[in-house]
């Protein structure tokens, strides 16, 4: 099945919109193929501000209707405790909020941007999609991440080469409680590294210590800014280390 056929058969839908590569292309395709769609961006403690900016920019460029849904995911103890299936409880909140808002707007079909490269067996949040009857057109049409990037480039979407970005909660090891302070510190640290020109990196936090994970080719950039990075981040962390095993 092609995406065009999907939207011919499903011409009215709500889209769970993150502003990332996949949901951006899904929204573009829906608009291109004449579907009546609305994008819903859930703004929780786990999403950095730049993701919301990207989502707003993309929706504006496509002329798409978009609504921001504020959500406090840390109110759920199952999320705050950070168990191995934390993603399931978080996704449950996110899609419950989208389903509710979409129903109020007259949408019964909910779509998300999961693609054919996503391993359902390795993502607890996928269970939520099944339980809530959320459909994934990119996955159903067999589109891989690489294909979606190429199609996005051809479409002129600025998201085509946007690095994959997991939520801020993934920086905190399983079993360690998630707090708003830890999330805000992580966002501050990563925003600073972005300002230095680094991309596709992570600032892992564990019991107050930071571990920088950057692509091998960017290690020299980190070392050249070593003093500045220490000056900026040391007030927030007990120690700062560089992970040399990441490639």
């Amino acid at each position: 099945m092609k995406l065009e056929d999907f939207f011919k058969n499903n011409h009215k839908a709500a889209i769970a919109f993150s502003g990332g590569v996949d949901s951006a292309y899904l929204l573009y395709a829906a608009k291109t193929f004449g579907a009546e769609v609305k994008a819903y961006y859930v703004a929780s403690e786990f999403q950095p501000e730049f993701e919301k900016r990207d989502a707003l920019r993309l929706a504006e460029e496509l002329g798409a209707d978009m609504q921001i849904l504020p959500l406090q995911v840390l109110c759920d103890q199952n999320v705050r405790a950070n168990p191995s299936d934390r993603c399931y409880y978080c996704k449950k909140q996110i899609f419950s909020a989208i389903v509710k808002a979409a129903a109020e707007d007259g949408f019964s079909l909910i779509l998300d941007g999961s693609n054919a490269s996503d391993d359902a067996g390795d993502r607890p949040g996928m269970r939520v999609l099944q339980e809530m009857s959320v459909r994934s057109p990119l996955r159903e049409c067999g589109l891989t991440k690489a294909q979606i990037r190429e199609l996005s480039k051809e479409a002129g979407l600025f998201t085509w080469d946007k690095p994959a970005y997991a939520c801020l909660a993934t920086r905190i090891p399983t079993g360690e409680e998630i707090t708003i302070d830890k999330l805000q510190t992580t966002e501050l640290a990563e925003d600073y590294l972005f300002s230095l020109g680094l991309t596709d990196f992570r600032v892992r936090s564990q019991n107050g210590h930071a571990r920088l994970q950057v692509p091998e080719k960017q290690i020299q950039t980190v070392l050249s800014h070593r003093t500045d990075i220490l000056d900026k981040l040391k007030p927030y962390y007990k120690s700062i280390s560089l992970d040399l095993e990441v490639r």
Side-chain angles (χ1 to χ4, degrees):
M1 178 172 58
K2 295 182 178 180
L3 273 179
E4 183 174 4
D5 297 325
F6 179 90
F7 284 112
K8 280 182 180 178
N9 296 326
N10 303 279
H11 49 80
K12 183 175 181 179
I15 294 179
F17 186 52
S18 68
V21 178
D22 301 324
S23 63
Y25 184 71
L26 180 61
L27 181 59
Y28 163 81
K31 294 285 291 181
T32 298
F33 297 129
E36 179 187 348
V37 293
K38 182 172 181 178
Y40 295 86
Y41 178 91
V42 176
S44 78
E45 306 95 314
F46 289 178
Q47 270 56 55
E49 191 63 25
F50 80 83
E51 290 279 54
K52 183 168 71 175
R53 290 196 301 267
D54 283 356
L56 287 167
R57 175 185 167 187
L58 198 285
E60 182 178 2
E61 290 182 359
L62 295 179
D65 189 8
M66 172 182 157
Q67 182 177 345
I68 297 175
L69 304 175
L71 181 67
Q72 294 181 319
V73 292
L74 288 182
C75 288
D76 185 343
Q77 174 59 27
N78 290 314
V79 174
R80 196 164 61 249
N82 199 18
S84 59
D85 58 350
R86 177 204 71 243
C87 189
Y88 170 81
Y89 297 105
C90 181
K91 288 280 190 184
K92 191 81 170 179
Q93 287 195 63
I94 289 172
F95 279 95
S96 293
I98 292 174
V99 167
K100 181 176 184 296
E104 292 172 354
D105 292 334
F107 296 95
S108 58
L109 175 62
I110 312 297
L111 310 179
D112 95 309
S114 298
N115 64 64
S117 299
D118 293 326
D119 182 2
D122 192 39
R123 297 177 61 179
M126 285 285 194
R127 259 201 301 148
V128 174
L129 304 184
Q130 297 172 352
E131 292 174 2
M132 304 190 76
S133 299
V134 175
R135 296 187 64 180
S136 306
L138 301 178
R139 188 179 181 87
E140 291 180 29
C141 294
L143 291 173
T144 65
K145 190 75 167 188
Q147 290 174 316
I148 293 165
R149 286 191 183 280
E150 186 59 34
L151 289 168
S152 296
K153 185 178 183 180
E154 293 173 4
L157 303 181
F158 73 87
T159 51
W160 78 270
D161 63 346
K162 185 176 179 178
Y165 189 89
C167 79
L168 293 170
T170 62
R171 313 301 192 267
I172 301 169
T174 299
E176 181 179 325
E177 183 182 16
I178 300 174
T179 67
I180 192 65
D181 286 343
K182 292 176 184 177
L183 297 172
Q184 290 175 343
T185 296
T186 299
E187 183 173 4
L188 180 150
E190 294 195 347
D191 279 349
Y192 180 68
L193 295 187
F194 273 125
S195 75
L196 298 178
L198 297 171
T199 59
D200 201 19
F201 62 85
R202 301 287 185 266
V203 178
R204 303 289 183 187
S205 173
Q206 184 168 18
N207 296 320
H209 299 272
R211 179 162 49 94
L212 312 186
Q213 295 181 327
V214 303
E216 186 176 3
K217 62 183 179 180
Q218 295 182 35
I219 287 178
Q220 190 55 51
T221 301
V222 173
L223 295 178
S224 66
H225 290 282
R226 174 182 175 276
T227 300
D228 293 335
I229 291 173
L230 288 174
D231 288 345
K232 182 68 175 181
L233 303 189
K234 201 62 192 295
Y236 305 98
Y237 294 101
K238 298 174 184 176
S239 69
I240 317 292
S241 62
L242 178 61
D243 189 341
L244 296 178
E245 295 186 0
V246 177
R247 294 185 178 275

